[in-house]
Every structure is written in structure tokens, then in C-alpha cells.
Amino acid sequence: MKTTDGGYVVSKCRAFLLFIAFVGSLIAVGLLVYFLADRPVASSVTNGASTASPSTSGSSKAEVISSNKNVRLPRAVLPIRYDVRLFPVLEKGNFSILGHVSIDVHCKMETDRIVLHSADIVVDPKSVEVMEHGKTMKTLMVASDGIHYDTEMEFLVIRLCPKHKDKLAKGTNYTLSMSFVGHLTDQLRGLYRSTYKEDGIEKYMAVSQMEPTDARRAFPCFDEPNMKAIFSVTLGRHRHMTALSNMPLINTTQMEGTEEFYWDHFAPSVPMSTYLVAFIVANFTQVAADVGNANWKFNIYARPSARNQAQYASEIGPKIQAFFEDYFQIPFPLPKQDMIAIPDFAAGAMENWGLITYRETALLYDEKKSSVSNKERVCEVIAHELAHQWFGNLVTMDWWTDLWLNEGFASYAEYLGSEHVEPGLKWLQQFVTRDLQDVMSLDALESSHPISVVVHHPNEINEIFDRISYGKGATIIRMLAAFLGEKTFRQGLSNYLKSRQYGNAVQDDLWDALTKQAKVNKVAIPTGVKQIMDTWTLKMGFPVVTVTREYDNNTVLISQERFLMQRSNASSQDKTVYLWWVPLTYTADFQTIGSTWLSDGQTSKKHELSIPIDKSQWLIFNVDQMGYYRINYDAQNWQLIGQQLMTNHSAISVINRAQIMDDAFNLAEAGQLDYMTTLNLTRYLEHESDYVPWDSALSGMGSISSMMSRTSGYGLLKKHFRTIITPLYNKLGFDQKMGEDILMTKLRANAVSWACSMGNKDCISRVVSSYAQWMADPENVDIISPNVKGPVTCAAIREGDEAEWEFALNRYMSSNVASEQAVLLASMSCSEKPWILAKMLEMSLNSTSGIRKQDAARVISQVAYNSLGRYMAFNFIRDKWDELRKVFPTTFSSMSGIIKAVAASFNTDLELKELMQFRDERSASLGGAERAMQQSIDRAKNNLNWMRQNYHKVVDWLQRVY
């Protein structure tokens, strides 16, 4: 109910009085749950609940909606305000949600029905009311058979009584209200329960995860991002628990008839989308952060036993939020920001406005047991979610087609916020390996997809929460900021956010704001921002720019074409013109930077430049890899670059050294550069000591290693990689040095991991000895630094037997630090004992094994990445497919990662055939994993082609060198 003074009014709808009367008659929650859970439901309506079937009588019009391909809600009625009252019953054996919702709506066109979303909810049909606003509140009659469900569309249709000729009138406001019962499941979506232990006692909490389409599982609502409304929330809780929502608590009232339970009433929200609504009921500890002179409060919530791990988040969170206030030139609009660490959480984090939810690994950090990489993870995720408070929450994509506007920008801005609080991690350097180069491997497949992709069904929506929306989105925004300039980019963003605040937008709205600002600042670009960026958002893939020098006349010929790992017949049938507006930069000394553009509409693909440099001087394009494209050179320029790297690699920037490594490995894999050139370039790494070039090189080396690990040539490859990595291992040493650069600490972990896996005897000896000491003194946290605990544990388990694995399992079970648990769980999959890997696979689906449901998919994936375990994992998912579908019901998106991991290194005809057969047999049940399956098949085809085209070339080179 909306009030004139902006205050809060507790709804007292007649339908809810029955529930209050029930509460007043009870003295224990067990009786409450029993009485309400056992309410007759034969006359109730349910969708997705097994207690009753949806009503079908008189449902001809509802059936029309169900058969319609358009899954969007009709726009005849739009929400204005919700009054949501929920009581999550946290009682073992009777987990449920008792709820009531009143929705103020505005009628845009005359209609006899209200259509909204609902899933897995039992509505009491007698409680459904439609009230017309006016001088007097008039009740409209709902037809006796007028409540229907379209289970496929997840629509709840409420039809008015035709006998009374009641209709909703255009321009009039109404209130729709109803009571309902939901299921408080452990399925990690909607409003669900999470389980944890404190002092050995099992505890329960209620937590929500609404994005993208699961608010409808918590309460009936208009569950689309452009149907924003104000939310007034009331949550029921036990007196020893705390309730949280998006807005601050304004008052608490005792439930009638009991001293054990209370209602917490929260202030009305700002207008926002349903996927951002958040509810928490838990017995957690609060850590209040120091916010200085800010106009908002900032709190961290965690399990009481994990309170000391919340300190780092409380230190950096307010600083990052204040940074974004300055960056966007818009104050944070809410009076408080809460961040809470959830024991069971499907995603990494969720940007709920004013109440951000996290996995424990993404929010909690232990000084003694967490690594630099764990700290880095916490920092980047906090920055990502806080960026969303403006880009996504304040201004929201109009529909999921433009999801990348939310996720791509937050993925870019997280580097800015992280750089502000942790500059020692050199985030702007790391961007190229963590996002740009990473997403290129996916975007080089024929089965990639454009950033902006039309989606309808929830399965399709879940599919695009992938590296394209996040990583590629971030990369093209970074490129955009580079060619517009920081001043123009920031002011254009601020103008865009201010003009669309509390509303919705499509990507053209952003392009328009940036184009206008570019004109104001007189930025020279060849055409409008929209024309440039449409070539990057509406087409999948990216170009390889080929640079051919004419050394006698200082002329450079430049061309572009789509970069693909492998071309099939399908690519020849694709009628898309794969040309882009490409911002080119180039240098011969990193003192003078030249620039030009390649057009998407050139009649000739060749572009000619005159660059007056000596023929013996190298030329590098895509300075600091600000552009999203690969560069290939003529053979002589590659040779000149290689000579420079061998004589003085620091003459080339750190980022471009990383770019050279990544481009060389991938061009060779695609057959556009000979492997002799690529492998010769790797020899300079003996002199390299910077993290980012090594990160790129190790990625390329890892791809070759995964292809050859089961071949006769793998011994020679290990010898080559051992020769490359040993100087780095010797230089950095096994132990961390006081005051060293943070990235050196990260690089040491990579050096130890690779040195041991490639057979360096000193590394293996140190690892085995250190792990044995830890086994003898398990509580001593100083024996193995957390920064190398992952590679040390992995190598020790690989070299050891069941005792080493069991020790890691016991430490995993007893640890109170989620980041340490994650390291141990990943390392346990390094075993080369097949029975141990089989045991891990079985544990992943056993609810009593100690492995959380949120981690089950990761366990299977980690086993699949083990050369020995990949086929075991493939057999496991084929055998357990139906069981896996029950464990991962959230449109089956968790299976995407598993399928990609299992098939990542398939490279034989038989493996490809079996993968395709599996796809065909399970095509009807792939759900949100359908795109991942096709991408895995494409990757397996690429791998098979690599073995045919490149394996013998690599072996020949290795035999000549060694």
C-alpha cells in the first residue's frame, strides 16, 4: 500500500488475517509449521508444486498464452509498488515460506485479467483480491475458475468474473493481493535455505538469489527487469535471528500470540527490478565498517565463527564505493550497504541493491590461511558488485538481450575500483590475461555468440551469463574508453546514468550519450560511437589484423579477417560480413605512438600506411593490447621481435610481451603462424621475470601440454618446458621473501606448480618434504605459505598415495576458512590414483559427504581437468545424468562448466564421436547447457585438427632442439 507521506504502512488485508489468527493461537513454531503446512490444498492452485495440479477449467485464453512463443508478460498492467510479507520457516523437516503480497498496479489498457509470474508457489485462491483505487476502494470479483497457471511460461493468470462484467479500466490504479505458501528448498534459487555449523551444531538460514528469473519463486511478481517498482518488505524471524533486506530496518513488532517470533519492517525501496530484491534471515554477526564522512552505513555479515575474516572486506568496501561515487559523479542513493557471506551460494556474488550476497570465498579473507590470490578474488568481486550499484541497479538493461551492459561494464569497472585500493596487484596490466586473452579462446569458436543476443526463455537467459557477456563486454568497453579518452568516456557515462537513473536502457542509449560527449570534447573518431560499437556487439568473434611490411619503401599493408581456430562448412554459410571498425595503434620504440582505423565498410580489405622506420627495426601493433584483436606479422618482423626479446626484452612493454606470447601461440594453433616461430619465441622466457608475460606464456604452454599429455612426444615437451621454467623457479625460490612485489608472490606459485608438474627434482623434493611436515603438525600454519599451498598440496598428492589425499580431505572438513577449503578441494583432484578420483566423483553427489552443493560441479570439473580423470568424469556424467539434473535444477546452467571441463582436451576421433553421441542422446534435457555443449564439440574438433596439423611439427622441433 502506498502512503502519501512516504512512510511505511503494515498491510492488514482480510486474506492475511487468517494467517495472523493462526500465529496468535500457537505457542511453538513446530505447531505453526504443522498447522499451516497441512492446510488443505486441493482447492488451492499450485505451479511446480506436487501437492496439486494447475486448474484447467475455463482456461482457453490461458492456453493461448502458453502456446505463444513470446515469453514476455503483457503490458496491460504494470506494477507500481509491492508490499511483501514473508515468514521463512527454518524448521528441519518442514522448511517452508508463508507469504502475502499486495501489489499496486497501473492499468495501461482495458483488460479482464492480470498476468504475472509465479513458480513453485501454492496460492490460496480464496485470498486473491483485486481492489480498485478511487474515492472508495472497490473490490472486483475474481472468477470462481479465474486463477490459472501456465507452467511452461511460469505465468499466473488472474481473470475477473465475466458475470459481473468487471474489467480493469485504462488509467486506473488497483491493488492485487494474495496469500501463498512456498517451499524453502536447498536449490540455491529464489528464497532458499543454507546450512552451516557453529560449534558443531547444524544451523539454518534463509537467503535469496533472484537473478535472472527466480524472484517468482519467492513471491508472485512481475519478474522482468523493465517492470521496476517500489518494494516494502516485512520479514518474520525468530527472536535470536537477524533479518535483512535492501533497505534499513525501521521497526520491529512481535508476532501476535508468541514471544519467540517477530516481524521486521523495512523502509520502502527506490524503484528497482525484481531480480535485485533480497531477503536474509540468519543468526549472523555484523562487522560495521568505518565510512568516514560518507552519507551511508556499510556493514559486513558473516557466520559468528568467521567474523575475523570480514575485516579486509570492511576496509576496502567503503573505499571502493566512495571511489565509484566520484567516478560516476553520482552519490550512492541508499542509506546503507550490507554485504553478507553465504555458506551455500550458486554464483560468486549478487549485486542486490543495498544487500549484496557473496560466496564465502568471494568476501572472507584470513590473513594466515588465505593467499594473495584469495585476497585478489575478494577485492575484484567486491569491486564488481559495487560497480553494479550504478551500472545495473540505478540504470538497468531493458531486457536480458543487453545483459552485457550490466556485466560487461561491471567486469571492466572492477579493475578500476581494485586498482584504487590495491595498486600493487597492477590490475590494469592483469586485465589482458584475466579477461581479454581469456575470452578470445571462446570467441574464436564458430559457436560463439554476439555480445548483444536476443533471448527469450529462462534457459536462454542463463546461457548468456558467460565469458562473452562478462569478459568480451569488459574488453570492448576498455577499448572504447581508450579511443574516446578517459575524460570523454567518464563524462559520457555520467550523463548516461543521470539521464536514465531509476529506469532502463538499451545499448544505443549509452552509445548516444558517448557520441554527444565526444562531439562536445571534439574527439576525432571516424563515425558515431554506435556505428563503431555495433560492429563489436552485434557480430560474434573478432579480427586478426595482418601486418605486412614492404621494407624497401617503408610501406605497411594491413588487412583484417575474422579469427577462427578452425573453419568449417558452417562458416562459409554464414552471410555476416566479418569486418569491424578497428582502432589501430603502433610503435617502433614505445616513445612515439601512431594510430589509424580500419573500416567495416572498405571495398578493399587492404589498408596502406607509410611508417618511416629502419628496416632492421621491429614494429608492434596494438600498443598495450588496448584493442580486441590479434596481430600477425610477416616472417621478418616476427624475427625482429624475437631478436629484441632475446637481447633486451624490457624494450617492449610488459603488456605487449604478454600479447606477443598469446598471439603467437593462438596463431600457431589456428595454422596462421608456424610453430617454429612460436616455440623459438618461448626461449626468451628464460630471461623474463614479470608476471603478466609469464601468465600468457603458461596459458599457451598449458594448451599444448593438454594436447600432448597422452602421446609419445610428451617427454620431450616436458623437457622443453622444464628448461624454460627452471630459471624462473631458481630465481624466485620456494619461499616467499619479505617485502617482495605482490605479483612476484603470484608468479612463484605458478613457478612451483609448473616446475613440479614438469619433473623438476628439487621442486618435487621440497614439496614432498613440506607436506610431510604439515601432516606431522597439522595445526602449524607456518609450515606451508598459503600462497603456495595449492601447488604444494596438488604436487604432494600427485606424488603420494591415499594417506596424502586423506589428510587433505580431513583438513578440508575441519577448516573454517572457505578459501582454504577451495584450495584443498581443487588439490585433491590432482591424485593419479583412479579409485581416489572415482571416490571424489561419488562424493560430489552425496549430500552427506561434506562437499557443498555449490561446489559439486567444481569437483567434477577439477577431476575432468586431470589427464587421468577426464574420461572418468565423462563416464560419470553420462551415467549420472538424471541425478545431476536434480542436483543442478537451476535451468541446468551448472552443467555448462562441467561439460566444458570434460571435453576441454578431447582430441581423438573416438572422443569427438562419443561427445556428439552424448549430445544427441541428451539434447532434450540439456537446458541451459545447450550452447556449452556445442562449444565443447567445436573445441574438440579444433583439438582433433590440431593433432592432425601440428603435433608432428611440434615434435620435430623438439627433436631438433633436444
Side-chain angles (χ1 to χ4, degrees):
M1 180 180 295
K2 189 175 182 179
T3 63
T4 56
D5 63 358
Y8 182 89
V9 175
V10 179
S11 176
K12 296 293 183 182
C13 298
R14 289 195 306 267
F16 204 68
L17 290 176
L18 179 62
F19 170 62
I20 296 297
F22 286 157
V23 176
S25 68
L26 301 172
I27 60 172
V29 69
L31 290 175
L32 169 66
V33 175
Y34 173 82
F35 195 88
L36 287 178
D38 259 8
R39 291 168 63 190
V41 293
S43 62
S44 299
V45 186
T46 177
N47 58 320
S50 60
T51 51
S53 299
S55 171
T56 56
S57 59
S59 60
S60 59
K61 291 192 177 182
E63 288 167 358
V64 170
I65 294 173
S66 181
S67 63
N68 194 334
K69 294 296 183 182
N70 185 4
V71 300
R72 303 289 296 274
L73 288 173
R75 289 318 194 248
V77 175
L78 297 178
I80 302 170
R81 180 180 181 127
Y82 292 80
D83 188 346
V84 183
R85 180 181 290 242
L86 298 174
F87 181 23
V89 180
L90 295 163
E91 187 72 19
K92 190 170 185 177
N94 226 334
F95 296 111
S96 55
I97 306 164
L98 309 176
H100 180 83
V101 64
S102 294
I103 312 173
D104 293 346
V105 300
H106 179 72
C107 183
K108 301 287 288 186
M109 60 183 71
E110 185 179 84
T111 180
D112 68 343
R113 66 196 57 215
I114 299 174
V115 184
L116 65 164
H117 288 109
S118 183
D120 299 335
I121 287 174
V122 180
V123 172
D124 180 358
K126 295 179 182 179
S127 72
V128 178
E129 285 189 348
V130 180
M131 303 279 291
E132 181 181 333
H133 292 198
K135 293 182 179 179
T136 60
M137 296 291 285
K138 174 185 175 184
T139 301
L140 305 185
M141 293 297 295
V142 176
S144 59
D145 61 349
I147 302 175
H148 313 286
Y149 285 98
D150 183 325
T151 54
E152 180 184 356
M153 308 282 276
E154 298 181 338
F155 283 0
L156 169 61
V157 183
I158 298 170
R159 187 163 53 89
L160 299 178
C161 183
K163 292 182 181 179
H164 290 75
K165 298 182 180 180
D166 280 340
K167 288 191 176 182
L168 304 181
K170 180 180 179 180
T172 303
N173 291 347
Y174 299 85
T175 296
L176 167 67
S177 61
M178 68 191 79
S179 297
F180 57 90
V181 177
H183 302 283
L184 194 66
T185 71
D186 62 352
Q187 299 302 310
L188 311 184
R189 61 177 178 173
L191 182 58
Y192 68 92
R193 73 178 185 272
S194 176
T195 307
Y196 61 98
K197 287 187 177 181
E198 283 289 329
D199 299 323
I201 301 173
E202 191 169 67
K203 303 279 188 177
Y204 303 105
M205 66 179 295
V207 58
S208 62
Q209 170 57 35
M210 308 303 196
E211 191 180 31
T213 59
D214 289 316
R216 65 195 67 176
R217 300 181 194 281
F219 59 99
C221 57
F222 296 82
D223 200 11
E224 296 189 5
N226 67 0
M227 290 186 161
K228 290 190 172 184
I230 294 169
F231 292 83
S232 291
V233 173
T234 300
L235 294 176
R237 61 167 177 85
H238 189 274
R239 62 189 179 90
H240 292 311
M241 304 189 86
T242 299
L244 300 171
S245 190
N246 305 82
M247 299 298 289
L249 177 70
I250 54 175
N251 65 69
T252 297
T253 58
Q254 188 174 319
M255 287 189 186
E256 297 179 28
T258 175
E259 296 181 357
E260 295 295 309
F261 296 92
Y262 290 82
W263 293 112
D264 282 342
H265 310 291
F266 297 90
S269 74
V270 296
M272 64 183 188
S273 304
T274 49
Y275 80 87
L276 295 170
V277 177
F279 312 122
I280 297 286
V281 176
N283 189 6
F284 271 27
T285 298
Q286 175 190 10
V287 177
D290 181 1
V291 300
N293 296 322
N295 294 320
W296 29 259
K297 295 180 180 180
F298 206 109
N299 301 299
I300 315 296
Y301 289 86
R303 294 177 289 110
S305 59
R307 187 184 191 282
N308 65 317
Q309 301 172 42
Q311 188 60 39
Y312 179 63
S314 73
E315 291 172 1
I316 67 169
K319 295 177 183 178
I320 295 173
Q321 183 156 295
F323 168 80
F324 283 134
E325 283 189 315
D326 177 69
Y327 188 86
F328 296 122
Q329 302 169 50
I330 299 172
F332 179 67
L334 305 187
K336 63 93 176 177
Q337 182 71 272
D338 293 334
M339 305 200 302
I340 184 167
I342 310 298
D344 299 291
F345 199 71
M350 177 62 210
E351 65 267 20
N352 314 303
W353 215 349
L355 176 53
I356 306 174
T357 44
Y358 294 81
R359 274 196 183 205
E360 288 194 339
T361 53
L363 186 64
L364 304 182
Y365 173 78
D366 186 285
E367 288 283 352
K368 294 184 177 181
K369 295 184 178 180
S370 302
S371 68
V372 167
S373 293
N374 298 141
K375 176 182 274 192
E376 185 177 72
R377 173 65 174 165
V378 170
C379 184
E380 70 169 328
V381 177
I382 289 176
H384 181 100
E385 304 310 324
L386 290 176
H388 268 311
Q389 307 301 293
W390 287 265
F391 231 97
N393 297 8
L394 185 65
V395 179
T396 310
M397 75 262 148
D398 190 71
W399 178 244
W400 299 105
T401 291
D402 285 319
L403 170 69
W404 84 271
L405 275 179
N406 281 20
E407 299 301 346
F409 189 86
S411 296
Y412 169 69
E414 74 185 48
Y415 286 87
L416 306 179
S418 297
E419 181 78 10
H420 176 69
V421 293
E422 290 285 2
L425 281 163
K426 300 178 182 177
W427 292 90
L428 304 184
Q429 284 187 16
Q430 288 200 67
F431 182 96
V432 297
T433 55
R434 292 163 60 93
D435 272 293
L436 188 154
Q437 294 174 6
D438 175 74
V439 76
M440 277 182 161
S441 64
L442 174 60
D443 209 19
L445 300 177
E446 288 183 334
S447 54
S448 183
H449 65 83
I451 289 180
S452 182
V453 57
V454 177
V455 290
H456 300 290
H457 193 274
N459 282 349
E460 298 173 329
I461 296 169
N462 274 275
E463 281 187 326
I464 62 171
F465 280 81
D466 65 357
R467 293 299 298 145
I468 298 298
S469 295
Y470 286 72
K472 184 176 180 178
T475 297
I476 67 166
I477 288 170
R478 173 177 175 263
M479 178 174 67
L480 170 64
F483 71 71
L484 285 180
E486 178 68 12
K487 180 181 177 181
T488 298
F489 178 70
R490 281 185 64 175
Q491 189 58 54
L493 284 181
S494 182
N495 295 344
Y496 161 79
L497 290 170
K498 289 174 180 176
S499 67
R500 312 296 299 185
Q501 60 185 336
Y502 303 111
N504 298 82
V506 296
Q507 67 178 29
D508 283 0
D509 296 319
L510 177 58
W511 305 152
D512 181 62
L514 291 170
T515 297
K516 288 178 179 177
Q517 193 60 42
K519 290 179 179 177
V520 169
N521 291 0
K522 298 180 180 180
V523 175
I525 52 176
T527 185
V529 172
K530 172 180 168 55
Q531 287 68 38
I532 294 171
M533 298 307 293
D534 277 356
T535 66
W536 297 97
T537 62
L538 303 182
K539 299 175 185 180
M540 60 181 168
F542 59 91
V544 53
V545 174
T546 301
V547 175
T548 305
R549 294 174 62 182
E550 299 287 346
Y551 292 87
D552 292 333
N553 59 13
N554 290 328
T555 299
V556 178
L557 299 178
I558 307 169
S559 63
Q560 62 162 306
E561 63 176 335
R562 183 184 177 189
F563 179 79
L564 285 171
M565 280 299 181
Q566 182 185 0
R567 295 183 185 275
S568 69
N569 293 333
S571 62
S572 62
Q573 297 168 6
D574 186 350
K575 302 304 180 184
T576 304
V577 178
Y578 286 104
L579 293 173
W580 291 262
W581 278 102
V582 183
L584 293 175
T585 55
Y586 53 90
T587 187
D589 56 11
F590 286 92
Q591 301 299 315
T592 303
I593 310 296
S595 64
T596 188
W597 285 83
L598 291 182
S599 167
D600 74 328
Q602 291 172 276
T603 54
S604 170
K605 294 184 181 181
K606 294 286 184 180
H607 183 80
E608 186 173 314
L609 281 178
S610 177
I611 305 177
I613 60 172
D614 190 274
K615 64 176 62 178
S616 63
Q617 176 63 39
W618 46 263
L619 183 64
I620 287 177
F621 272 70
N622 200 4
V623 178
D624 285 337
Q625 206 169 12
M626 297 303 295
Y628 184 59
Y629 51 90
R630 295 202 182 282
I631 294 289
N632 198 2
Y633 301 102
D634 59 84
Q636 186 172 340
N637 198 63
W638 275 117
Q639 185 177 7
L640 291 170
I641 290 172
Q643 290 171 356
Q644 181 64 69
L645 290 173
M646 289 298 292
T647 56
N648 179 18
H649 63 274
S650 63
I652 298 173
S653 75
V654 170
I655 291 178
N656 278 111
R657 299 201 301 271
Q659 173 216 18
I660 289 164
M661 286 289 97
D662 188 63
D663 281 350
F665 273 110
N666 283 275
L667 289 167
E669 185 176 345
Q672 297 185 35
L673 183 66
D674 64 276
Y675 259 105
M676 181 180 294
T677 298
T678 300
L679 293 172
N680 280 332
L681 285 169
T682 65
R683 301 174 75 173
Y684 108 88
L685 290 169
E686 297 179 30
H687 312 294
E688 181 62 78
S689 59
D690 275 298
Y691 175 80
V692 173
W694 267 111
D695 201 24
S696 291
L698 293 176
S699 177
M701 290 160 60
S703 296
I704 298 178
S705 181
S706 68
M707 289 297 94
M708 295 180 60
S709 62
R710 297 175 300 159
T711 68
S712 60
Y714 190 55
L716 280 174
L717 185 71
K718 286 182 69 175
K719 185 176 183 179
H720 175 58
F721 287 166
R722 189 164 62 246
T723 300
I724 290 174
I725 203 73
T726 294
L728 180 69
Y729 170 77
N730 291 338
K731 178 180 179 179
L732 295 178
F734 194 83
D735 300 314
Q736 186 171 335
K737 299 175 178 63
M738 290 292 294
E740 72 179 2
D741 185 274
I742 301 177
L743 288 185
M744 287 302 98
T745 303
K746 287 187 64 178
L747 185 55
R748 176 180 294 100
N750 287 343
V752 170
S753 177
W754 271 84
C756 283
S757 65
M758 292 298 109
N760 182 293
K761 293 182 180 180
D762 179 75
C763 181
I764 294 172
S765 175
R766 294 287 299 272
V767 158
V768 170
S769 175
S770 296
Y771 196 77
Q773 292 178 51
W774 188 30
M775 290 177 67
D777 189 5
E779 302 306 321
N780 190 336
V781 297
D782 297 322
I783 294 174
I784 302 174
S785 165
N787 294 306
V788 293
K789 183 172 286 186
V792 167
T793 306
C794 175
I797 288 175
R798 184 172 59 242
E799 298 294 327
D801 209 323
E802 195 166 7
E804 285 76 11
W805 186 87
E806 288 286 354
F807 174 77
L809 175 62
N810 291 333
R811 298 311 301 168
Y812 168 80
M813 295 294 187
S814 63
S815 177
N816 186 46
V817 180
S819 58
E820 182 183 41
Q821 286 187 310
V823 167
L824 291 168
L825 197 60
S827 299
M828 286 160 60
S829 67
C830 296
S831 174
E832 294 189 347
K833 305 296 185 289
W835 66 88
I836 289 178
L837 298 179
K839 183 177 182 179
M840 286 195 71
L841 291 171
E842 293 295 338
M843 289 175 66
S844 71
L845 296 185
N846 184 345
S847 60
T848 63
S849 69
I851 295 177
R852 292 186 176 277
K853 181 175 291 189
Q854 67 173 14
D855 298 322
R858 186 165 178 256
V859 169
I860 300 171
S861 296
Q862 291 290 347
V863 172
Y865 283 127
N866 182 319
S867 181
L868 177 66
R870 67 174 182 175
Y871 219 75
M872 295 173 65
F874 188 36
N875 286 337
F876 182 77
I877 67 170
R878 287 187 289 186
D879 184 49
K880 303 287 187 180
W881 184 258
D882 292 335
E883 189 174 347
L884 286 165
R885 291 188 66 201
K886 294 176 183 177
V887 174
F888 306 120
T890 55
T891 61
F892 224 22
S893 59
S894 298
M895 284 304 297
S896 297
I898 294 175
I899 290 171
K900 289 180 178 180
V902 165
S905 54
F906 279 8
N907 60 2
T908 68
D909 284 306
L910 178 61
E911 289 170 336
L912 175 61
K913 181 180 178 181
E914 290 188 337
L915 186 62
M916 295 176 71
Q917 181 180 346
F918 178 54
R919 185 269 315 270
D920 294 340
E921 291 172 350
R922 299 296 186 179
S923 59
S925 58
L926 284 171
E930 186 174 352
R931 190 187 299 273
M933 175 62 81
Q934 186 55 51
Q935 290 169 346
S936 296
I937 290 172
D938 281 359
R939 199 175 294 277
K941 290 178 179 178
N942 293 346
N943 293 345
L944 180 59
N945 184 66
W946 188 93
M947 292 298 294
R948 290 170 176 168
Q949 300 294 325
N950 297 313
Y951 170 71
H952 291 293
K953 295 178 182 178
V954 172
V955 172
D956 288 346
W957 184 88
L958 291 169
Q959 288 174 338
R960 286 197 302 272
V961 174
Y962 296 100

Coordinates of all heavy atoms in Angstrom, one line a residue, residues 42 83 191 275 476 885 942:
A42 N -6.2 -28.9 -1.9 CA -6.9 -29.5 -3.1 C -7.6 -28.3 -3.8 O -7.8 -28.4 -5.0 CB -8.0 -30.5 -2.6
D83 N 4.0 -4.7 -1.5 CA 4.1 -4.9 -0.1 C 4.3 -6.4 0.2 O 3.3 -7.1 0.0 CB 2.8 -4.4 0.6 CG 2.9 -4.3 2.1 OD1 3.8 -5.0 2.7 OD2 2.0 -3.7 2.8
L191 N 14.0 -17.9 -2.8 CA 14.3 -17.8 -1.4 C 14.5 -19.2 -0.9 O 13.6 -20.1 -1.0 CB 13.1 -17.2 -0.6 CG 13.3 -17.0 0.9 CD1 14.5 -16.2 1.2 CD2 12.0 -16.5 1.5
Y275 N 14.7 -8.7 -9.8 CA 15.9 -9.6 -9.6 C 16.9 -9.0 -8.6 O 17.8 -9.7 -8.2 CB 16.5 -9.8 -11.0 CG 17.5 -8.8 -11.5 CD1 18.8 -8.7 -11.2 CD2 17.0 -7.8 -12.4 CE1 19.6 -7.7 -11.7 CE2 17.8 -6.8 -12.9 CZ 19.1 -6.8 -12.5 OH 20.0 -5.8 -13.0
I476 N 35.7 -4.7 -24.8 CA 35.3 -3.7 -25.8 C 35.0 -2.4 -25.1 O 35.2 -1.3 -25.7 CB 34.1 -4.1 -26.7 CG1 32.8 -4.3 -25.9 CG2 34.5 -5.4 -27.4 CD1 31.6 -4.4 -26.8
R885 N 20.8 -33.7 -13.0 CA 19.8 -32.7 -13.3 C 19.0 -32.4 -12.0 O 18.5 -31.2 -11.9 CB 18.8 -33.3 -14.3 CG 19.4 -33.5 -15.7 CD 18.4 -33.8 -16.8 NE 17.4 -32.7 -16.9 CZ 16.2 -32.9 -17.4 NH1 15.8 -34.1 -17.7 NH2 15.4 -31.9 -17.6
N942 N 38.4 -28.7 -33.0 CA 39.7 -27.9 -33.1 C 40.9 -28.7 -32.6 O 42.0 -28.7 -33.2 CB 39.6 -26.6 -32.3 CG 38.6 -25.6 -32.9 OD1 38.1 -25.8 -34.1 ND2 38.2 -24.6 -32.2

